[in-house]
Amino acid sequence: MTGSPTAAGGPARSISPAVVAERLAELEAQPHRLGRPGAGARIMETFAHGQDIRDALGIPPVASPRLRHIAHLGVANRDYAFRQRRLDPPAEPFRVELTHEDEAWTWGPADATQRVHGPALDFALLATRRRRRRDGSLVAEGPDADAWLDIVQAFAGRPGPGRAPLL
């Protein structure tokens, strides 16, 4: 037997970063697989905690197409974010338009008067509570959309106090 024992008693396997990157690329090429319950949440957690490490090392955030999954969680959890703060969710639908490189990702009806638009990276950082609203360049149109950007979250549970502002 080679390698260190695992909790199950078998040998531990080492997976190279190249293999991990290849497997993530395969998943990304098949978005239907990422629709499984929990997959988007795992991507969000990896991004959020990876950003914690990047921040500790002074490394800036990195945008990727995977941000779409984090953004989707943030948009899908709109009403949950209001309820977590004992606020009534807005009745009116929202339009969210986020950009990543040359792509535009949208949610909600095109004619909605409550709108949010800006960079997907800024939205992902805000929705994971890794940045404050004033640290990014997201724009809200309408009072409900404006209030939502102050409380948006892509995760379950209480939001906590948030991060200190960037210098």
Side-chain angles (χ1 to χ4, degrees):
M1 181 156 89
T2 61
S4 303
T6 65
R13 294 186 324 170
S14 175
I15 300 175
S16 76
V19 169
V20 172
E22 180 181 318
R23 289 185 183 162
L24 284 173
E26 289 171 5
L27 284 175
E28 202 166 7
Q30 301 173 4
H32 64 280
R33 288 182 66 193
L34 292 176
R36 291 191 329 253
R42 301 300 77 81
I43 291 170
M44 181 272 302
E45 290 170 349
T46 301
F47 171 80
H49 297 301
Q51 188 57 49
D52 294 341
I53 295 166
R54 296 177 77 79
D55 287 344
L57 297 174
I59 301 170
V62 174
S64 86
R66 288 183 291 278
L67 294 177
R68 178 177 51 237
H69 304 287
I70 300 164
H72 179 75
L73 287 170
V75 172
N77 286 321
R78 183 197 77 164
D79 291 357
Y80 178 80
F82 280 94
R83 287 187 186 110
Q84 276 294 306
R85 290 154 183 88
R86 292 184 166 77
L87 300 170
D88 290 329
E92 211 175 323
F94 285 20
R95 172 73 168 191
V96 178
E97 300 174 348
L98 303 176
T99 56
H100 170 69
E101 295 177 357
D102 61 346
E103 295 181 28
W105 305 332
T106 61
W107 294 264
D111 62 348
T113 58
Q114 301 292 324
R115 306 174 77 81
V116 169
H117 55 89
L121 178 59
D122 288 352
F123 188 84
L125 289 166
L126 184 63
T128 57
R129 313 293 283 179
R130 272 29 192 197
R131 295 290 184 273
R132 292 183 180 258
R133 183 175 174 186
R134 65 178 167 241
D135 297 327
S137 58
L138 294 168
V139 175
E141 298 174 21
D144 292 336
D146 187 62
W148 180 51
L149 281 186
D150 289 333
I151 63 170
V152 63
Q153 66 183 74
F155 53 89
R158 301 293 300 160
R163 301 295 163 133
L166 296 177
L167 300 177

